[in-house]
């Protein structure tokens, strides 16, 4: 799939963003945190671990790290250490992804915006706030055992389960099939698709069969084709 927008003639009623790697440039922070945990525990990860861990909920990542080290009993300890190191990194360096700030500001006020993330709520809100983006989002949805914000108090499971995206669309007052997800990881894309959203994939293009899972794939949120498509939304709504 090329960067050509294939959703011409369709416009969303709500947009739901992933946070890490989509809005905030935090993937390097997760990598640094994972590396530090491995060093702290004297463990050498197997090749390709960073890619396997991308987009994975931090608790599941801690379990995965312990499994790869063949030390499953250390999962809880490694998870706590992972989150602690990550939060230190984010506090030091809250950097947005290319084009993210302008893209969010362009959409802000035009339609409901939400964030659906696998990170803890405190991490998502603090990083977005430090970047000046939190004010633009009506809802931030993260995994929880009982999410009071969904109006039902039901558990919200992490990606790749559909819960965070389904909940975010509902809170925005939009049907999933009329909502757009913006994602950088295959874990997140799977979550959005299972919830019924259309998907814009962002970042380095993965292998063709993975890129084809998204409706559109662009290198960054400042891609000209993406900007032109967004500008067409007003005209499309006027015809509906």
């Amino acid at each position: 799939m090329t960067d050509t927008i294939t959703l011409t003639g369709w416009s969303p009623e709500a947009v739901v963003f992933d946070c890490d790697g989509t809005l905030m440039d935090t993937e390097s922070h997760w990598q640094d945190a994972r590396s530090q945990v491995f060093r702290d525990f004297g463990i050498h990860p197997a090749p390709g671990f960073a890619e396997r861990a991308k987009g994975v909920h931090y608790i599941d990542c801690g379990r995965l790290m312990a499994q790869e080290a063949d030390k499953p009993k250390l999962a809880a300890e490694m998870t706590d250490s992972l989150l602690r190191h990550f939060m230190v990194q984010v506090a030091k360096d809250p950097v947005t992804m290319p084009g993210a700030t302008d893209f969010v500001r362009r959409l802000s006020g035009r339609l409901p915006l939400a964030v659906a993330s696998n990170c803890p709520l405190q991490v998502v809100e603090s990083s977005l706030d430090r970047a000046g983006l939190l004010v633009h989002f009506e809802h931030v949805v993260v995994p929880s055992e009982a999410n009071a914000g969904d109006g039902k108090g039901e558990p919200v499971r992490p990606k790749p389960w559909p819960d965070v995206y389904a909940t975010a669309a509902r809170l925005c007052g939009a049907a999933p099939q009329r909502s757009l997800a913006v994602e950088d990881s295959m874990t997140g894309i799977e979550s959005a698709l299972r919830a019924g959203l259309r998907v814009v994939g962002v970042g380095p293009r993965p292998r063709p069969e993975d890129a084809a899972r998204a409706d559109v794939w662009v290198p960054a949120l400042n891609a000209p084709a993406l900007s032109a498509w967004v500008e067409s939304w007003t005209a499309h709504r006027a015809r509906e």
Side-chain angles (χ1 to χ4, degrees):
M1 185 177 293
T2 67
D3 295 343
T4 301
I5 301 300
T6 58
L7 294 175
T8 302
W10 181 88
S11 62
E13 295 177 357
V15 180
V16 184
F17 291 83
D18 169 56
C19 186
D20 283 5
T22 299
L23 293 174
M24 301 300 300
D25 188 7
T26 50
E27 185 54 35
S28 62
H29 297 333
W30 280 118
Q31 291 183 22
D32 290 344
R34 290 191 295 261
S35 296
Q36 184 60 55
V37 172
F38 279 129
R39 287 194 295 270
D40 290 347
F41 286 83
I43 297 167
H44 297 284
F49 179 82
E51 186 61 30
R52 291 192 296 278
K54 187 176 181 180
V56 174
H57 187 260
Y58 79 97
I59 294 177
D60 294 329
C61 185
R63 294 194 190 105
L64 181 61
M65 295 172 74
Q67 290 170 3
E68 296 229 347
D70 198 24
K71 298 181 179 180
K73 292 183 179 181
L74 292 179
E77 190 175 349
M78 295 180 78
T79 298
D80 290 344
S81 181
L82 175 65
L83 183 58
R84 184 172 62 254
H85 285 303
F86 174 72
M87 293 184 70
V88 169
Q89 293 285 341
V90 170
K92 290 180 180 178
D93 188 27
V95 178
T96 57
M97 295 296 291
T101 298
D102 288 343
F103 189 69
V104 170
R105 288 175 177 170
R106 179 181 299 176
L107 297 182
S108 183
R110 295 177 58 177
L111 72 176
L113 304 182
V115 172
S117 175
N118 265 354
C119 285
L121 184 62
Q122 178 186 356
V123 172
V124 177
E125 290 188 336
S126 63
S127 60
L128 290 176
D129 188 42
R130 287 171 64 86
L133 292 178
L134 184 61
V135 66
H136 299 290
F137 295 101
E138 297 182 25
H139 307 283
V140 176
V141 180
V142 301
S144 65
E145 293 184 2
N147 184 44
D150 70 356
K152 297 182 179 181
E154 296 178 351
V156 176
R157 297 166 296 182
K159 306 171 188 178
W161 294 98
D163 300 24
V164 288
Y165 275 107
T167 300
R170 183 170 64 250
L171 290 173
C172 285
Q177 63 269 25
R178 296 295 304 172
S179 302
L180 180 69
V182 186
E183 264 286 354
D184 75 306
S185 74
M186 296 314 302
T187 299
I189 289 173
E190 178 67 18
S191 172
L193 290 175
R194 291 172 68 181
L197 283 72
R198 299 286 186 94
V199 181
V200 169
V202 182
R205 188 178 299 279
R207 55 189 181 178
E209 59 268 34
D210 288 340
R213 296 282 287 159
D215 293 277
V216 178
W217 200 282
V218 294
L221 290 176
N222 54 8
L226 183 60
S227 297
W229 179 47
V230 169
E231 290 306 313
S232 76
W233 293 356
T234 301
H236 174 250
R237 286 201 181 89
R239 295 194 299 269
E240 291 183 334

